[in-house]
Amino acid sequence: MTDERKALYWLPSSGITAEKQNKLLEIFGSAIEIHKNVFSDLVKEYVGKPYAELSAMTENAIDTELKKLKADGIRLLLKGYDGYPKQLDQFEVVPPPVLYAKGNVELLNKPSICIVGTRKSTDYGKKVATQWSAELCEKFVIVSGHATGIDTYAVKSCLDNGGSAIIVLACGFEKFDFPTYLRDVDKERLLFITEYPMHMRVAKFSYQERNRLLSGLAQAVIVVEAPEKSGALITVDRAVQQNRQVFVVPGSVFSDRSKGTNKLIRDGATIATCATDVFEDLNVIVEKKITEKFIPKLSTEERAVYDFLVKGTRHFDEIVTALNLSPMETSAILSLMEIEGIIEKKPQNYFALSI
Amino acid sequence: MLSKINSFGLQGIDGYSVSVEIDINNGLPGMDIVGLPDTATKESKERVRSALKNSGFRLSPKRITINLAPADTKKEGSFYDLPIALGILNATEQLISDKLSDTVFVGELSLNGDIGRINGILPMIIAAKELGLKRIVIPKANENEAAYVSGITTYAFSTLRETVSFLTDEITAEPITVKDAYSAFCNFSHKEDLKYVKGQLSARRALEIAAAGGHNILMIGPPGGGKTMLAKCLPSILPDLSASEALETTKIHSVAGVLGAEQGIVSARPFRSPHHTASRVALTGGGSSAKPGEISLAHNGVLFLDELPEYNRATLEILRQPLEDGKVVVSRAARTVEYPARFMLIASMNPCPCGNLGSETTDCSCTPAQVSKYLSKISGPLLDRIDIHIEVGGVSYDELSSNDFGEASDVVRQRVNDARKLQLSRFDGSGSYCNAQMNNSQLSEHCKIDSSSETLLRTAFKRLGLSARAYTRILKVARTIADLDNSERIEKKHIAEAIQYRSLDRSYWQ
């Protein structure tokens, strides 16, 4: 083999870790050299289990695969060549020699921020992820692992609000199930990226390994909600190793889903209480949107409901009792106010002001 | 000698005339029953033989042939013991009576000659009356059931001996006095009453609307929120059962054998709550004899499905057609029967597998995927047939421990009755009885809304993320709310209130 690019593609194709790939490259100097010495004991020892597959791979097979990649619209980003994201080229990140990318690779050159959190989010976490992502996506590309829960809320909200997102997969492209809602999104606003060869399935280790790229690609990581044991906390560890800024969203001290995040704060992490905090700490200037204060015109009963709800979220029964109205009248009034956007209905018959 | 006795059989919930013919010949002694008898009917000969002997009659050692005509329909059950015994007595000339020809006999015999209780007596009496027969003799244990049919003279006896004595005029017997079905309702009181429901003001109101318009209703809430209690109160606020409805329901219960001996007639709207492991057959009816299922037993009443997503999905899907047509057709190899099934569906479910989604006090431990999987167990088409979805929140300790009673069921029922009257006059002769049954043309005729309400609806759809299927549901429910308000027109406030009852269409569930 004479083409270094081809040799680089060949190296991870059987699924050895980025760490081992880097080590081999260091020892032999180039991928071509590794290929030449593929039958040496040293390579055999390093590669381990997938050795048989790796050594058996012919140049013809590589050519066919490369053609197929091209046909599928998947680009290869090779370390040391143009287009490889600079932010990954750092020892602590353990940069993978090969990245598979599909979508707009220009997004890698833009400032980006990673939003992570638990899969089992509460309503609170969902709200934070959704609102912040909507604000942050104006200046940042959102980097996400696209797990259910917080990750997905952040991506959805970002795309709904005209932002762009980079999604880092924990498996090969062949094994990734593209979510339906992403199909209608403008291709220019999305980039999927992975270090794993096409046929590689997800595994527990691949999620953890992938997390280093999440923080590696981003300037900063925001943890929205995380229980004590959480994949999100692994991303935080990596971010700290990689010297990335970490923002933590505080949560209720009674909530299991905020135990991990609150512990991070106790350990000295930076608190963020709104998207503006993040902008300020990262020295990003956002023009203040001038929002006119909305003053609703209210009838007497509506005013009474408004005044009552100013004190906080209230149950339907409490509103009925406090206002001394019939349930029937109350329902109608609440509906009207809800439609006008003055209040919002919460699950289980709770109502709260929305402004 | 040949003898012929009138009797009745059951086809679905209707009785049909069966004539029991008995012929006694010389030959090898024995008894044969022909005319497609099932096992219970075949075994009748053993009971009859002993009953005759123990009542002091003789059974001559001859060849007895019993034919149940019409010979091509299956005969099931033990109704024919009494007519067979009387037929044998008549054929052996131990019983000569001119009453035999215009009297119908049904009843099971025990070995000592007592007449035992049978199921399905009411449809048989009604059928006999319609055929113009004069008299019917039934088991004493069934007399309560028979008391509500007029136009036929009904006698109830407890032994074979007594029946024979009556036929030969040795004793005189008084026929059963006919009672007015209405009297059964008057001294009836419901077990559950809305006044014991603490708090839950929005759920109470939603129940009232559901009862008034015949709308199906789905309650969503955490465990312990009082969903079951609310559901059990529903029959107590439903409009009063009319006499014809009561007889129809009693017929079904009589056939299914779920009617208590002292009950006689179903005087309150039935409340059926099949467990969530119930099979399809248990709900629609079936079995070899095509018995009515839970949805038919709930006819004119309430079918309560607690923990809706726990039901087998296929089981739930079969509810779709009965919910639309008000009847179910049960087809089995032996027969095809149509049972009425016009019931109100009330279902309850948790918002998520752990039940705490959206709770203010407890965290939900489910992933979004688990929640959407749980909710998707209920199919769109089924959800389409449920007009009202409400959320039932937890009740606080203060509310539980308070001594204030809510409005009593009787008061609510009064309003429901009034609203139903309006609907009955509106739909007179169109085949619909209540707002929930409105078809599209009736909807456009009776649910006109002005432009301001139209604007309101449009904004509501946009703001609240309601799904398209909510539109007609909201209109129907608004019609009922207007009826409760005694208003001819649907006003803006009615529409506004109706929007509150579309919880599952809200975007926060998606």
Side-chain angles (χ1 to χ4, degrees), chain B residues 161-176:
Chain B
R161 197 26 117 175
E162 201 184 342
T163 316
V164 173
S165 307
F166 164 72
L167 291 171
T168 52
D169 291 324
E170 281 169 43
I171 57 163
T172 51
E174 281 298 310
I176 295 169

Side-chain angles (χ1 to χ4, degrees), chain B residues 5-25:
Chain B
I5 308 284
N6 298 315
S7 186
F8 267 81
L10 278 179
Q11 172 86 38
I13 57 159
D14 293 312
Y16 68 100
S17 170
V18 172
S19 70
V20 180
E21 298 164 354
I22 285 127
D23 191 21
I24 300 193
N25 296 309

Side-chain angles (χ1 to χ4, degrees), chain B residues 151-283:
Chain B
I152 185 165
T153 322
T154 312
Y155 294 93
F157 295 116
S158 51
T159 63
L160 176 62
R161 197 26 117 175
E162 201 184 342
T163 316
V164 173
S165 307
F166 164 72
L167 291 171
T168 52
D169 291 324
E170 281 169 43
I171 57 163
T172 51
E174 281 298 310
I176 295 169
T177 35
V178 177
K179 289 190 231 166
D180 184 8
Y182 191 70
S183 66
F185 308 146
C186 286
N187 40 29
F188 176 79
S189 69
H190 290 277
K191 276 181 228 148
E192 305 282 347
D193 196 299
L194 263 188
K195 74 177 171 190
Y196 300 117
V197 175
K198 305 279 168 87
Q200 308 287 20
L201 298 176
S202 64
R204 295 170 65 107
R205 171 74 184 158
L207 273 191
E208 181 179 335
I209 295 167
H215 302 288
N216 298 321
I217 179 168
L218 173 63
M219 295 184 289
I220 308 143
K227 300 186 292 289
T228 312
M229 168 103 182
L230 280 163
K232 282 186 177 157
C233 287
L234 184 61
S236 71
I237 60 166
L238 282 175
D240 298 326
L241 210 54
S242 70
S244 64
E245 280 178 324
L247 278 183
E248 211 175 8
T249 309
T250 310
K251 262 165 112 177
I252 303 171
H253 284 228
S254 178
V255 169
V258 294
L259 205 60
E262 66 293 330
Q263 198 183 353
I265 191 164
V266 177
S267 49
R269 293 192 180 267
F271 180 85
R272 305 293 303 186
S273 56
H275 188 252
H276 59 68
T277 51
S279 65
R280 278 183 284 180
V281 171
L283 283 189

Side-chain angles (χ1 to χ4, degrees), chain B residues 327-344:
Chain B
K327 62 185 184 209
V328 62
V329 178
V330 181
S331 292
R332 288 294 177 271
R335 52 169 55 175
T336 298
V337 192
E338 184 183 292
Y339 288 115
R342 196 178 289 285
F343 57 89
M344 217 179 115

Side-chain angles (χ1 to χ4, degrees), chain A residues 8-9 11-12 16-23 25 31 76-81 84 94-99 195 212:
Chain A
L8 265 178
Y9 172 77
L11 185 58
I16 52 172
T17 62
E19 201 175 352
K20 282 181 183 166
Q21 294 172 42
N22 286 337
K23 203 84 189 175
L25 283 170
L76 291 178
L77 307 178
L78 304 172
K79 199 177 135 201
Y81 289 84
Y84 193 82
V94 192
V98 178
L99 279 175
E195 62 177 301
R212 80 180 195 285

Side-chain angles (χ1 to χ4, degrees), chain B residues 448-465:
Chain B
K448 291 195 186 88
I449 52 172
D450 56 21
S451 61
S452 74
S453 305
E454 187 72 58
T455 328
L456 176 80
L457 258 182
R458 187 166 302 135
T459 340
F461 270 75
K462 229 168 37 199
R463 282 281 178 113
L464 309 180

